[in-house]
Amino acid sequence: MKPDQGLFQSDFDDHHAVLGVPISADAKVVRKRYLTIARKLHPDSLSGASAAEAQQASEVLSKLVNPAYEALSQEKSSTEHGLILKLKGQTLRRTGTAPAVTSTAAQDLLKAPHIDAAYRQAVNGLAAQQFDQLEAISEVIGSLSELNLVYLYRSTASDRTSASSATASTRTAATRSQSASANSAAPPSPRQNQAAILDSYVNRAQEYELNKDYSRAILELREAIKTYPNDGTCHSYLSTLYLKAGQGTMARIHAKRALEINPNDERAKAVQARVDKSSGAASSGAQSANAKASNLKSAAKGSPDKGGGFFGLFGGKKK
């Protein structure tokens, strides 16, 4: 790959893909990632590279990475880029068709159950080796850009909080057109408020799960269930977290509750099956151990006249 031959077009206008950060990354995350890349491409880190490879790394940094960082680190350009992404997501939804993607990561993301956690995990996975091989940078950035495309498409469709806000805004505009008061907008409905609150709990839990901090992820969902005890999705998700944390009994309890609310919950069914299988194996092992113990006990009670019991181990009945 030669950086000056088509590298800085199409996907490379996707600044998040170039830097290997999620679309939601804040300025602190962007800066940390930029410094990591800059160190990796610095001549001191390429001591074993050829002159051509060092020159290529320098061009990638100056012509590709630096412009992306400048665009995302400056408030004005970052805001403009965010609006462009938002409009792109809305355009994707209006087409009514999922974006055509070729990378395996993007195709998996199209059908992933937890879009936010799956998206961040996929981006982090690609970013970890994004600049390991300079000749593969174009391919990796292209895959990251496809992930961003799928995320925009799916998050625009499933973001219940945004939908609630949009509904509230529509109602506000309609009310203002009919009333002289600017404060007469109808408040969000209880259902919309519940969706927004649950989304916040689930999103935080997904972040903790991504970092394998299952205890804190579990706490988030337990708080959600305190407020909304009949939300099957939370019970189902909580059962998977308990399973990952090695707490089979709690996983079974919440999987059962999720299936009571929604008998077709596939995630809860899967958790229940795994817990039942694990319990069956443990029960079988316990029975086998009990049988062995019983056999040993019977042997220990053997007849002394026939050299049995402990005396029998030493050559017969004690005189």
Side-chain angles (χ1 to χ4, degrees), residues 258-266 269:
L259 291 172
E260 289 173 352
I261 297 171
N262 177 14
N264 297 317
D265 191 315
E266 295 298 330
K269 287 181 180 179

Side-chain angles (χ1 to χ4, degrees), residues 102-119:
T102 58
S103 67
T104 301
Q107 291 172 351
D108 289 343
L109 188 62
L110 274 172
K111 52 189 178 184
H114 304 298
I115 181 62
D116 290 302
Y119 167 65

Side-chain angles (χ1 to χ4, degrees), residues 15-17 19-23 25 29-30 33 72 119 123 127 144 148:
H15 306 312
H16 294 89
L19 294 181
V21 295
I23 289 174
V29 171
V30 169
R33 174 62 177 167
L72 294 182
Y119 167 65
V123 169
L144 285 164
N148 292 343

Side-chain angles (χ1 to χ4, degrees), residues 201 219-229:
Y201 280 117
L219 286 175
E220 287 292 338
L221 289 184
R222 285 176 65 89
E223 287 298 319
I225 288 175
K226 284 182 182 178
T227 307
Y228 302 105

